[in-house]
Amino acid sequence: MTIKEIARLVEGEIVGAPADDTYDVEKAFASDLMSDVLRFSMDETVLITGLCNNQTMRTSEMADLRVVVIGRDKQPDEDMLELAEDLDITLIKSKFSIFKISGILYEAGIKPLY
Amino acid sequence: MHYTFEIERGNFTDAGQASSSVKRTLKQLGVAPANIKRTVVALFEAEINAIAHAYGGTIDVDIDDQKIVMVVADQGPGIPNLDLAMQEGWSTASAEVREMGYGAGMGLPNIKKNTDDLKIESTVGVGTTVTMTVFFA
């Protein structure tokens, strides 16, 4: 699934790095705990989180994540947006809860990480 | 190649800069992506641990064609019970650290999982030195 399709499904707004139309997302992982994110391989995975700070970006960088859905209507600040652009990470801001975002993407065929 | 980075207590804004810099260097050196991932996850966790728990410290990184050795040395409270600290889920992190998304008690277990060699020397009231090695071959 493309990043733009994910954004459409969760009624989200794309910010940070521009969406790479060639990137194919197959799996999702939902967590606010960044150490849990670092435990797993995140290839072709979208992170769904309510944690909205620079550490979300740094953790995504270390985990090789390319796309992050920020739920619960959290607003990234300028620093975070700049870091996302520098690290080439696309953010999707959504007003929906983490549960709702997860449900929508699961129903649309995105697989759980495990 | 040798690099040194400073760790500042509680500075979560800059947390991850050392790991980010090492990641860029390893990419430039053509190290296999799986080994880069192991290295930076371990270093990042150690960096976060030091920022969250200690009063300051340094990160020393040595890279050759076979391996990377990372030494994270802090001045801090030390680890009273290393066996407990190595257990998944055990944490003494503050509420502030947890709000940052850390403090889940996965730091040291994650470091162990991602390194080929791990040494932890800690003295209560003095500090902790974590030495991590990842072999590239």
Side-chain angles (χ1 to χ4, degrees):
Chain A
M1 185 180 294
T2 64
I3 294 171
K4 282 180 183 159
E5 179 63 7
I6 292 173
R8 190 188 65 76
L9 287 169
V10 302
E11 297 180 20
E13 180 190 348
I14 291 176
V15 291
D20 175 356
D21 290 334
T22 64
Y23 190 67
D24 186 26
V25 177
E26 289 184 3
K27 296 168 281 183
F29 186 66
S31 181
D32 284 359
L33 284 175
M34 295 298 106
S35 276
D36 272 348
V37 175
L38 293 169
R39 286 170 69 194
F40 307 105
S41 169
M42 292 284 165
D43 295 342
E44 290 101 36
T45 301
V46 55
L47 172 65
I48 304 164
T49 185
L51 190 78
C52 186
N53 60 29
N54 279 3
Q55 292 316 305
T56 314
M57 295 297 88
R58 285 294 178 202
T59 303
S60 299
E61 178 192 11
M62 304 311 155
D64 290 329
L65 280 156
R66 300 275 310 277
V67 55
V68 178
V69 178
I70 306 282
R72 301 201 290 264
D73 202 20
K74 301 278 180 178
Q75 300 299 321
D77 63 16
E78 282 305 314
D79 273 1
M80 184 175 167
L81 291 174
E82 203 176 302
L83 198 51
E85 280 179 42
D86 287 349
L87 298 173
D88 198 22
I89 296 168
T90 304
L91 303 179
I92 301 170
K93 286 193 305 175
S94 171
K95 290 185 176 171
F96 296 161
S97 68
I98 302 303
F99 182 74
K100 186 166 177 176
I101 293 165
S102 301
I104 289 168
L105 295 185
Y106 185 85
E107 200 173 51
I110 294 288
K111 297 184 189 80
L113 195 58
Y114 66 93
Chain B
M1 264 180 281
H2 180 88
Y3 302 91
T4 301
F5 304 92
E6 295 292 322
I7 299 167
E8 201 183 319
R9 179 186 194 177
N11 185 354
F12 279 98
T13 309
D14 292 338
Q17 284 192 353
S19 310
S20 184
S21 171
V22 167
K23 185 176 186 182
R24 279 195 301 275
T25 302
L26 294 180
K27 264 188 182 173
Q28 281 163 7
L29 291 171
V31 173
N35 286 330
I36 295 178
K37 172 98 188 278
R38 291 201 301 138
T39 301
V40 299
V41 166
L43 182 57
F44 185 56
E45 289 280 20
E47 200 181 343
I48 293 294
N49 272 349
I51 290 167
H53 296 286
Y55 315 135
T58 52
I59 300 172
D60 282 281
V61 177
D62 282 286
I63 306 169
D64 63 30
D65 55 353
Q66 308 279 317
K67 64 185 183 303
I68 179 166
V69 180
M70 301 163 282
V71 181
V72 180
D74 70 49
Q75 297 86 48
I79 304 170
N81 188 330
L82 197 53
D83 287 338
L84 268 180
M86 291 304 295
Q87 281 180 20
E88 289 190 5
W90 172 262
S91 177
T92 58
S94 65
E96 185 200 358
V97 171
R98 288 172 200 266
E99 276 171 23
M100 292 282 171
Y102 302 105
M106 292 310 302
L108 286 174
N110 266 359
I111 292 172
K112 190 170 185 201
K113 184 180 146 198
N114 285 289
T115 51
D116 294 308
D117 190 58
L118 171 65
K119 251 186 228 119
I120 302 171
E121 295 155 293
S122 190
T123 306
V124 172
V126 178
T128 301
T129 300
V130 178
T131 305
M132 304 167 285
T133 305
V134 173
F135 291 101
F136 299 145

